[in-house]
PDB file of all heavy atoms in Angstrom:
ATOM      1  N   HIS A   9     126.948 120.131 117.275  1.00  0.00           N
ATOM      2  CA  HIS A   9     125.964 119.827 116.332  1.00  0.00           C
ATOM      3  C   HIS A   9     126.178 120.233 114.815  1.00  0.00           C
ATOM      4  O   HIS A   9     126.167 119.530 113.856  1.00  0.00           O
ATOM      5  CB  HIS A   9     124.575 120.227 116.742  1.00  0.00           C
ATOM      6  CG  HIS A   9     123.432 119.970 115.804  1.00  0.00           C
ATOM      7  ND1 HIS A   9     123.009 118.699 115.606  1.00  0.00           N
ATOM      8  CD2 HIS A   9     122.738 120.717 114.878  1.00  0.00           C
ATOM      9  CE1 HIS A   9     122.054 118.697 114.661  1.00  0.00           C
ATOM     10  NE2 HIS A   9     121.911 119.887 114.248  1.00  0.00           N
ATOM     11  N   VAL A  12     128.988 118.508 112.854  1.00  0.00           N
ATOM     12  CA  VAL A  12     128.833 117.221 112.159  1.00  0.00           C
ATOM     13  C   VAL A  12     128.301 117.311 110.860  1.00  0.00           C
ATOM     14  O   VAL A  12     127.091 117.748 110.510  1.00  0.00           O
ATOM     15  CB  VAL A  12     127.837 116.297 113.035  1.00  0.00           C
ATOM     16  CG1 VAL A  12     127.654 114.986 112.446  1.00  0.00           C
ATOM     17  CG2 VAL A  12     128.438 116.171 114.442  1.00  0.00           C
ATOM     18  N   THR A  13     129.086 116.839 109.790  1.00  0.00           N
ATOM     19  CA  THR A  13     128.554 116.848 108.457  1.00  0.00           C
ATOM     20  C   THR A  13     128.299 115.497 107.891  1.00  0.00           C
ATOM     21  O   THR A  13     127.596 115.353 106.858  1.00  0.00           O
ATOM     22  CB  THR A  13     129.710 117.584 107.532  1.00  0.00           C
ATOM     23  OG1 THR A  13     130.919 116.822 107.661  1.00  0.00           O
ATOM     24  CG2 THR A  13     129.984 119.039 107.901  1.00  0.00           C
ATOM     25  N   ASP A  14     128.832 114.457 108.539  1.00  0.00           N
ATOM     26  CA  ASP A  14     128.558 113.205 108.065  1.00  0.00           C
ATOM     27  C   ASP A  14     128.772 112.162 109.270  1.00  0.00           C
ATOM     28  O   ASP A  14     129.257 112.469 110.273  1.00  0.00           O
ATOM     29  CB  ASP A  14     129.416 112.783 106.857  1.00  0.00           C
ATOM     30  CG  ASP A  14     130.896 112.763 107.225  1.00  0.00           C
ATOM     31  OD1 ASP A  14     131.325 113.159 108.368  1.00  0.00           O
ATOM     32  OD2 ASP A  14     131.664 112.298 106.345  1.00  0.00           O
ATOM     33  N   PHE A  15     128.385 110.906 109.035  1.00  0.00           N
ATOM     34  CA  PHE A  15     128.568 109.906 110.013  1.00  0.00           C
ATOM     35  C   PHE A  15     129.246 108.682 109.351  1.00  0.00           C
ATOM     36  O   PHE A  15     129.280 108.590 108.078  1.00  0.00           O
ATOM     37  CB  PHE A  15     127.215 109.370 110.675  1.00  0.00           C
ATOM     38  CG  PHE A  15     126.491 110.396 111.486  1.00  0.00           C
ATOM     39  CD1 PHE A  15     125.458 111.118 111.038  1.00  0.00           C
ATOM     40  CD2 PHE A  15     126.885 110.561 112.763  1.00  0.00           C
ATOM     41  CE1 PHE A  15     124.801 112.045 111.757  1.00  0.00           C
ATOM     42  CE2 PHE A  15     126.250 111.495 113.598  1.00  0.00           C
ATOM     43  CZ  PHE A  15     125.219 112.251 113.131  1.00  0.00           C
ATOM     44  N   VAL A  79     115.231 101.531 101.981  1.00  0.00           N
ATOM     45  CA  VAL A  79     115.892 102.619 102.679  1.00  0.00           C
ATOM     46  C   VAL A  79     117.165 102.130 103.261  1.00  0.00           C
ATOM     47  O   VAL A  79     118.199 102.879 103.385  1.00  0.00           O
ATOM     48  CB  VAL A  79     114.969 103.174 103.780  1.00  0.00           C
ATOM     49  CG1 VAL A  79     115.678 104.108 104.768  1.00  0.00           C
ATOM     50  CG2 VAL A  79     113.749 103.889 103.084  1.00  0.00           C
ATOM     51  N   LYS A  83     122.313 101.089 100.676  1.00  0.00           N
ATOM     52  CA  LYS A  83     123.454 101.759 101.455  1.00  0.00           C
ATOM     53  C   LYS A  83     124.278 100.777 102.212  1.00  0.00           C
ATOM     54  O   LYS A  83     125.584 100.756 102.165  1.00  0.00           O
ATOM     55  CB  LYS A  83     122.938 102.779 102.445  1.00  0.00           C
ATOM     56  CG  LYS A  83     124.057 103.601 103.112  1.00  0.00           C
ATOM     57  CD  LYS A  83     124.935 104.357 102.197  1.00  0.00           C
ATOM     58  CE  LYS A  83     126.032 105.071 103.055  1.00  0.00           C
ATOM     59  NZ  LYS A  83     127.099 105.654 102.012  1.00  0.00           N
ATOM     60  N   SER A  94     130.932 106.210 104.817  1.00  0.00           N
ATOM     61  CA  SER A  94     130.331 107.464 105.381  1.00  0.00           C
ATOM     62  C   SER A  94     128.924 107.667 104.775  1.00  0.00           C
ATOM     63  O   SER A  94     128.528 107.159 103.643  1.00  0.00           O
ATOM     64  CB  SER A  94     131.126 108.673 105.053  1.00  0.00           C
ATOM     65  OG  SER A  94     131.249 108.797 103.600  1.00  0.00           O
ATOM     66  N   ILE A  95     128.094 108.369 105.567  1.00  0.00           N
ATOM     67  CA  ILE A  95     126.824 108.815 105.078  1.00  0.00           C
ATOM     68  C   ILE A  95     126.659 110.274 105.504  1.00  0.00           C
ATOM     69  O   ILE A  95     127.032 110.591 106.620  1.00  0.00           O
ATOM     70  CB  ILE A  95     125.678 107.929 105.653  1.00  0.00           C
ATOM     71  CG1 ILE A  95     124.321 108.381 105.135  1.00  0.00           C
ATOM     72  CG2 ILE A  95     125.664 107.893 107.217  1.00  0.00           C
ATOM     73  CD1 ILE A  95     123.128 107.449 105.466  1.00  0.00           C
ATOM     74  N   SER A  96     126.201 111.100 104.685  1.00  0.00           N
ATOM     75  CA  SER A  96     126.033 112.491 105.008  1.00  0.00           C
ATOM     76  C   SER A  96     124.990 112.709 106.178  1.00  0.00           C
ATOM     77  O   SER A  96     124.207 111.814 106.410  1.00  0.00           O
ATOM     78  CB  SER A  96     125.648 113.292 103.763  1.00  0.00           C
ATOM     79  OG  SER A  96     124.264 112.950 103.416  1.00  0.00           O
ATOM     80  N   PHE A  97     125.173 113.805 106.794  1.00  0.00           N
ATOM     81  CA  PHE A  97     124.238 114.117 107.932  1.00  0.00           C
ATOM     82  C   PHE A  97     122.728 114.153 107.309  1.00  0.00           C
ATOM     83  O   PHE A  97     121.847 113.495 107.940  1.00  0.00           O
ATOM     84  CB  PHE A  97     124.561 115.540 108.515  1.00  0.00           C
ATOM     85  CG  PHE A  97     123.761 115.831 109.699  1.00  0.00           C
ATOM     86  CD1 PHE A  97     124.128 115.412 110.964  1.00  0.00           C
ATOM     87  CD2 PHE A  97     122.546 116.593 109.639  1.00  0.00           C
ATOM     88  CE1 PHE A  97     123.368 115.773 112.138  1.00  0.00           C
ATOM     89  CE2 PHE A  97     121.752 116.851 110.743  1.00  0.00           C
ATOM     90  CZ  PHE A  97     122.180 116.452 111.956  1.00  0.00           C
ATOM     91  N   ALA A  98     122.580 114.711 106.272  1.00  0.00           N
ATOM     92  CA  ALA A  98     121.240 114.812 105.686  1.00  0.00           C
ATOM     93  C   ALA A  98     120.748 113.465 105.233  1.00  0.00           C
ATOM     94  O   ALA A  98     119.536 113.101 105.402  1.00  0.00           O
ATOM     95  CB  ALA A  98     121.229 115.794 104.378  1.00  0.00           C
ATOM     96  N   GLY A  99     121.695 112.641 104.713  1.00  0.00           N
ATOM     97  CA  GLY A  99     121.297 111.206 104.233  1.00  0.00           C
ATOM     98  C   GLY A  99     121.003 110.451 105.490  1.00  0.00           C
ATOM     99  O   GLY A  99     119.996 109.586 105.404  1.00  0.00           O
ATOM    100  N   CYS A 100     121.629 110.562 106.603  1.00  0.00           N
ATOM    101  CA  CYS A 100     121.370 109.821 107.878  1.00  0.00           C
ATOM    102  C   CYS A 100     120.017 110.309 108.366  1.00  0.00           C
ATOM    103  O   CYS A 100     119.198 109.444 108.787  1.00  0.00           O
ATOM    104  CB  CYS A 100     122.383 110.097 108.803  1.00  0.00           C
ATOM    105  SG  CYS A 100     122.416 109.047 110.273  1.00  0.00           S
ATOM    106  N   VAL A 101     119.723 111.591 108.289  1.00  0.00           N
ATOM    107  CA  VAL A 101     118.425 112.057 108.803  1.00  0.00           C
ATOM    108  C   VAL A 101     117.287 111.450 107.935  1.00  0.00           C
ATOM    109  O   VAL A 101     116.202 111.029 108.408  1.00  0.00           O
ATOM    110  CB  VAL A 101     118.348 113.611 108.795  1.00  0.00           C
ATOM    111  CG1 VAL A 101     116.961 114.103 109.019  1.00  0.00           C
ATOM    112  CG2 VAL A 101     119.268 114.212 109.802  1.00  0.00           C
ATOM    113  N   ALA A 102     117.484 111.540 106.574  1.00  0.00           N
ATOM    114  CA  ALA A 102     116.499 110.903 105.656  1.00  0.00           C
ATOM    115  C   ALA A 102     116.256 109.437 105.867  1.00  0.00           C
ATOM    116  O   ALA A 102     115.115 108.957 105.895  1.00  0.00           O
ATOM    117  CB  ALA A 102     116.887 111.238 104.246  1.00  0.00           C
ATOM    118  N   GLN A 103     117.295 108.760 106.023  1.00  0.00           N
ATOM    119  CA  GLN A 103     117.246 107.252 106.205  1.00  0.00           C
ATOM    120  C   GLN A 103     116.512 107.036 107.550  1.00  0.00           C
ATOM    121  O   GLN A 103     115.605 106.143 107.594  1.00  0.00           O
ATOM    122  CB  GLN A 103     118.602 106.744 106.276  1.00  0.00           C
ATOM    123  CG  GLN A 103     118.561 105.132 106.359  1.00  0.00           C
ATOM    124  CD  GLN A 103     119.963 104.531 106.495  1.00  0.00           C
ATOM    125  OE1 GLN A 103     120.778 104.724 107.399  1.00  0.00           O
ATOM    126  NE2 GLN A 103     120.413 103.753 105.393  1.00  0.00           N
ATOM    127  N   PHE A 104     116.843 107.621 108.613  1.00  0.00           N
ATOM    128  CA  PHE A 104     116.222 107.489 109.796  1.00  0.00           C
ATOM    129  C   PHE A 104     114.699 107.884 109.805  1.00  0.00           C
ATOM    130  O   PHE A 104     113.846 107.087 110.226  1.00  0.00           O
ATOM    131  CB  PHE A 104     116.948 108.451 110.968  1.00  0.00           C
ATOM    132  CG  PHE A 104     116.402 108.313 112.324  1.00  0.00           C
ATOM    133  CD1 PHE A 104     117.084 107.631 113.248  1.00  0.00           C
ATOM    134  CD2 PHE A 104     115.294 108.913 112.817  1.00  0.00           C
ATOM    135  CE1 PHE A 104     116.710 107.473 114.544  1.00  0.00           C
ATOM    136  CE2 PHE A 104     114.779 108.840 114.091  1.00  0.00           C
ATOM    137  CZ  PHE A 104     115.464 108.076 114.986  1.00  0.00           C
ATOM    138  N   PHE A 105     114.389 109.038 109.165  1.00  0.00           N
ATOM    139  CA  PHE A 105     112.919 109.418 109.095  1.00  0.00           C
ATOM    140  C   PHE A 105     112.068 108.379 108.316  1.00  0.00           C
ATOM    141  O   PHE A 105     111.064 107.992 108.722  1.00  0.00           O
ATOM    142  CB  PHE A 105     112.976 110.774 108.424  1.00  0.00           C
ATOM    143  CG  PHE A 105     111.535 111.267 108.149  1.00  0.00           C
ATOM    144  CD1 PHE A 105     110.712 111.957 109.166  1.00  0.00           C
ATOM    145  CD2 PHE A 105     110.921 111.080 106.914  1.00  0.00           C
ATOM    146  CE1 PHE A 105     109.419 112.331 108.876  1.00  0.00           C
ATOM    147  CE2 PHE A 105     109.622 111.556 106.613  1.00  0.00           C
ATOM    148  CZ  PHE A 105     108.968 112.165 107.657  1.00  0.00           C
ATOM    149  N   LEU A 106     112.598 108.013 107.198  1.00  0.00           N
ATOM    150  CA  LEU A 106     111.837 107.110 106.306  1.00  0.00           C
ATOM    151  C   LEU A 106     111.642 105.766 106.929  1.00  0.00           C
ATOM    152  O   LEU A 106     110.588 105.169 106.910  1.00  0.00           O
ATOM    153  CB  LEU A 106     112.488 106.990 104.906  1.00  0.00           C
ATOM    154  CG  LEU A 106     112.424 108.246 104.034  1.00  0.00           C
ATOM    155  CD1 LEU A 106     113.261 108.075 102.787  1.00  0.00           C
ATOM    156  CD2 LEU A 106     110.997 108.550 103.597  1.00  0.00           C
ATOM    157  N   THR A 163     112.777 111.782 114.826  1.00  0.00           N
ATOM    158  CA  THR A 163     113.790 112.396 114.090  1.00  0.00           C
ATOM    159  C   THR A 163     114.236 113.699 114.693  1.00  0.00           C
ATOM    160  O   THR A 163     115.456 113.957 114.809  1.00  0.00           O
ATOM    161  CB  THR A 163     113.445 112.522 112.600  1.00  0.00           C
ATOM    162  OG1 THR A 163     113.023 111.299 112.020  1.00  0.00           O
ATOM    163  CG2 THR A 163     114.611 113.104 111.822  1.00  0.00           C
ATOM    164  N   PHE A 167     118.118 114.131 116.186  1.00  0.00           N
ATOM    165  CA  PHE A 167     119.267 114.882 115.503  1.00  0.00           C
ATOM    166  C   PHE A 167     119.260 116.279 115.918  1.00  0.00           C
ATOM    167  O   PHE A 167     119.936 117.225 115.439  1.00  0.00           O
ATOM    168  CB  PHE A 167     118.801 114.831 114.023  1.00  0.00           C
ATOM    169  CG  PHE A 167     119.149 113.620 113.379  1.00  0.00           C
ATOM    170  CD1 PHE A 167     118.183 112.571 113.241  1.00  0.00           C
ATOM    171  CD2 PHE A 167     120.375 113.098 113.002  1.00  0.00           C
ATOM    172  CE1 PHE A 167     118.361 111.281 112.697  1.00  0.00           C
ATOM    173  CE2 PHE A 167     120.684 111.927 112.458  1.00  0.00           C
ATOM    174  CZ  PHE A 167     119.666 110.994 112.363  1.00  0.00           C
ATOM    175  N   PHE A 171     126.421 116.260 119.421  1.00  0.00           N
ATOM    176  CA  PHE A 171     127.287 115.142 119.158  1.00  0.00           C
ATOM    177  C   PHE A 171     128.721 115.372 119.595  1.00  0.00           C
ATOM    178  O   PHE A 171     129.291 116.520 119.321  1.00  0.00           O
ATOM    179  CB  PHE A 171     127.204 114.687 117.656  1.00  0.00           C
ATOM    180  CG  PHE A 171     125.822 114.283 117.336  1.00  0.00           C
ATOM    181  CD1 PHE A 171     125.039 115.132 116.556  1.00  0.00           C
ATOM    182  CD2 PHE A 171     125.354 113.116 117.744  1.00  0.00           C
ATOM    183  CE1 PHE A 171     123.691 114.749 116.202  1.00  0.00           C
ATOM    184  CE2 PHE A 171     124.020 112.671 117.349  1.00  0.00           C
ATOM    185  CZ  PHE A 171     123.282 113.490 116.577  1.00  0.00           C
ATOM    186  N   CYS A 182     121.308 104.143 110.156  1.00  0.00           N
ATOM    187  CA  CYS A 182     121.197 105.182 111.155  1.00  0.00           C
ATOM    188  C   CYS A 182     119.899 104.817 112.081  1.00  0.00           C
ATOM    189  O   CYS A 182     118.788 105.000 111.552  1.00  0.00           O
ATOM    190  CB  CYS A 182     120.950 106.626 110.520  1.00  0.00           C
ATOM    191  SG  CYS A 182     122.363 107.196 109.668  1.00  0.00           S
ATOM    192  N   ILE A 187     123.092 106.145 117.502  1.00  0.00           N
ATOM    193  CA  ILE A 187     123.234 107.576 117.382  1.00  0.00           C
ATOM    194  C   ILE A 187     123.259 108.215 118.710  1.00  0.00           C
ATOM    195  O   ILE A 187     124.056 109.158 118.957  1.00  0.00           O
ATOM    196  CB  ILE A 187     122.266 108.249 116.425  1.00  0.00           C
ATOM    197  CG1 ILE A 187     122.375 107.615 115.039  1.00  0.00           C
ATOM    198  CG2 ILE A 187     122.297 109.762 116.469  1.00  0.00           C
ATOM    199  CD1 ILE A 187     121.292 108.187 114.084  1.00  0.00           C
TER     200      ILE A 187
END
Side-chain angles (χ1 to χ4, degrees):
H9 175 71
V12 176
T13 58
D14 64 352
F15 292 101
V79 170
K83 181 61 181 173
S94 65
I95 182 171
S96 67
F97 185 86
C100 192
V101 172
Q103 188 183 63
F104 185 99
F105 175 81
L106 291 172
T163 305
F167 289 95
F171 297 105
C182 293
I187 293 175

